[in-house]
Amino acid sequence: MTSLDKPTPDTDRTDQQEADAKAVTEAALFEAFGGIRGMVETVLPGLLFVTIFTINKDLHTSAIAALVVSLVLVAVRLIRKDTVKHAFSGVFGVAFGVVFAMMTGNAKDFYLPGMIYTLGLALAYIVTTIAGVPLIGLILGPVFKENLSWRTRNPGRKKAYAKASWAWGLILLAKCAILFPLYWWADTAQLGWVLVALKIPPFLLAVYLTWVFLAKAPPPIDVFAEMEAEEQAEKARKEQAAAARNTEG
């Protein structure tokens, strides 16, 4: 190998920094969106509902089964002392769907609150990005310990958050463009199976694009570390001032 073929130390450091950035981003996304377990908790209640309804066409049995499995998922997390935010969000979504379907007597309405939520979330991603405060940045900022520092102090990262928010918004809008016509034209089982099929792939695509954009962005500014350093510096100044007064005395 010639000297030209050998990687320079700068190249090694750059590659390592990129690898570290990708690993940190992957871990943060896994934490923020719940990982594989969170996806299972999102899909399972709806899958159980449509499976039972396809078999017996009984709204009450299907709805109760979906709600029970959601509560079981929360109970398991509580017993294991795991984070419950993803399971709780699933319970609330299923509960709204159950109540709505029971009130109207239309099994398809079990899915309507979730569809409306998806549409609202898509619009939130787009509107906040246009307003200069991309929603994905608000969600992931605390996870990366940067809070809102990316808005004014890290323009490259703000741009990455904007791209990711556009991706989330447009992907969710495309999902809604499929589901809402089916709500009017398809029967409950058809709508349910399409909705279950569209739970994971669009989500994974949005998460992957977010990972791509953020892995190439500048690293986050750890505002928590900055505050801790400021506190330590202030403490040191006070100790020095006290020592100086004692010496003078």
Side-chain angles (χ1 to χ4, degrees):
M1 178 182 291
T2 66
S3 60
L4 294 177
D5 296 326
K6 296 179 181 179
T8 64
D10 289 341
T11 302
D12 289 341
R13 283 198 298 269
T14 301
D15 292 343
Q16 185 60 46
Q17 289 171 353
E18 290 180 355
D20 291 343
K22 290 179 179 179
V24 169
T25 302
E26 182 178 345
L29 291 174
F30 192 91
E31 177 184 344
F33 297 112
I36 295 175
R37 188 174 178 181
M39 288 188 286
V40 170
E41 291 171 341
T42 299
V43 172
L44 191 56
L47 177 60
L48 187 60
F49 178 91
V50 70
T51 300
I52 294 175
F53 189 85
T54 300
I55 295 170
N56 63 14
K57 307 299 182 183
D58 188 328
L59 169 59
H60 291 77
T61 303
S62 304
I64 292 173
L67 185 57
V68 168
V69 75
S70 296
L71 293 173
V72 169
L73 292 172
V74 171
V76 170
R77 279 190 176 267
L78 289 173
I79 292 171
R80 294 169 58 91
K81 297 182 179 179
D82 294 333
T83 302
V84 297
K85 61 181 180 180
H86 300 290
F88 266 130
S89 65
V91 167
F92 288 129
V94 171
F96 276 117
V98 168
V99 170
F100 205 65
M102 293 292 189
M103 288 176 59
T104 64
N106 184 353
K108 282 197 292 186
D109 288 340
F110 173 79
Y111 302 110
L112 190 57
M115 292 165 56
I116 294 173
Y117 172 78
T118 300
L119 177 59
L121 188 59
L123 295 176
Y125 276 116
I126 292 172
V127 171
T128 55
T129 304
I130 293 173
V133 193
L135 180 58
I136 198 70
L138 300 178
I139 295 172
L140 295 180
V143 178
F144 283 109
K145 300 180 180 179
E146 60 182 333
N147 285 349
L148 296 178
S149 62
W150 50 268
R151 287 197 62 201
T152 55
R153 300 172 57 191
N154 204 338
R157 198 156 181 86
K158 180 179 179 180
K159 184 177 180 180
Y161 279 137
K163 290 180 179 179
S165 288
W166 274 114
W168 278 91
L170 294 177
I171 288 170
L172 293 179
L173 277 182
K175 180 178 176 179
C176 291
I178 297 171
L179 293 178
F180 276 96
L182 287 176
Y183 174 80
W184 297 108
W185 301 333
D187 61 31
T188 301
Q190 291 170 335
L191 173 62
W193 286 114
V194 171
L195 196 146
V196 168
L198 290 178
K199 277 283 187 180
I200 301 302
F203 172 80
L204 289 179
L205 176 59
V207 169
Y208 172 73
L209 291 175
T210 302
W211 177 78
V212 169
F213 295 140
L214 291 182
K216 296 179 180 179
I221 299 171
D222 191 336
V223 295
F224 295 106
E226 288 182 345
M227 289 188 291
E228 184 177 351
E230 289 176 3
E231 290 175 358
Q232 293 294 331
E234 181 63 23
K235 182 180 179 181
R237 284 194 294 268
K238 289 180 179 179
E239 290 176 349
Q240 290 175 355
R245 286 195 297 269
N246 291 334
T247 301
E248 292 174 358

